[in-house]
Amino acid sequence: MDFMKQAIEEAYEGIKENHGGPFGSVVVKDGKIVGKGHNTVLLNNDPTCHGEIQAIRDAAKNLQTFDLSGCEIYTTAEPCPMCLGAILWANIKTVCYGCNQKDTDEIGFRDSKFYDYINGKNSLLEMKESSKGECLALFEKYKKLNRQKY
């Protein structure tokens, strides 16, 4: 099966329905698609509903686990920093993408601004530490519960 073709079809579905941009993804494990998704930012009025994240959510639901070790993701564009973070949190080790950051910029998306922020080239937001003592107390209480880490 051509997994990138499936990601592209997922993106076309989103475009046809005006759910969002041309971003589709599939998550694959052991040669089978276990999750799929396309950009639904417009549909859900949610800036986090990128294709990769939707596919990760679908795969995690279908596999009944938050740990997608052993999976690969195929996506129509190089993941933005948010999606890259989600891929890393999901323990996906292989990303196959179609278009790169430059291609994405050329159709009007602003991924490069976020990469520039990460690399210290702009100041899109201000980060402030606040109420550290109270937050440390919260963390300490959680630590004592000895819950599963992820």
Side-chain angles (χ1 to χ4, degrees):
M1 176 178 282
D2 184 345
F3 298 121
M4 185 59 79
K5 183 178 180 186
Q6 296 297 310
I8 293 166
E9 286 181 17
E10 190 66 28
Y12 273 122
E13 178 66 22
I15 292 170
K16 181 180 83 173
E17 299 296 329
N18 195 29
H19 290 170
F23 308 107
S25 302
V26 295
V27 176
V28 176
K29 184 168 187 168
D30 300 326
K32 295 179 186 169
I33 293 175
V34 295
K36 61 183 182 175
H38 59 264
N39 185 295
T40 59
V41 168
L42 298 178
L43 174 69
N44 294 318
N45 291 313
D46 182 343
T48 69
C49 288
H50 290 195
E52 296 92 335
I53 290 178
Q54 299 299 79
I56 288 168
R57 288 174 177 157
D58 190 43
K61 177 183 166 191
N62 292 334
L63 296 174
Q64 298 184 336
T65 181
F66 59 83
D67 185 353
L68 300 181
S69 294
C71 292
E72 304 172 326
I73 190 165
Y74 292 77
T75 184
T76 57
E78 185 174 356
C80 73
M82 177 182 68
C83 292
L84 185 59
I87 290 165
L88 291 167
W89 276 110
N91 294 313
I92 296 172
K93 302 291 186 218
T94 302
V95 178
C96 299
Y97 64 89
C99 296
N100 62 33
Q101 290 175 39
K102 184 176 184 263
D103 301 320
T104 302
D105 283 351
E106 287 179 1
I107 62 166
F109 290 87
R110 55 193 173 124
D111 296 23
S112 64
K113 288 183 181 180
F114 300 119
Y115 279 105
D116 286 348
Y117 173 78
I118 290 167
N119 293 318
K121 295 180 183 176
N122 67 34
S123 55
L124 292 175
L125 61 95
E126 181 180 351
M127 299 279 284
K128 298 179 187 180
E129 190 173 82
S130 175
S131 303
K132 185 170 182 167
E134 292 91 335
C135 293
L136 283 173
L138 167 71
F139 277 26
E140 194 57 38
K141 285 182 181 181
Y142 178 79
K143 183 179 176 183
K144 288 178 182 176
L145 294 173
N146 200 26
R147 299 273 170 87
Q148 178 183 11
K149 304 300 185 283
Y150 46 91

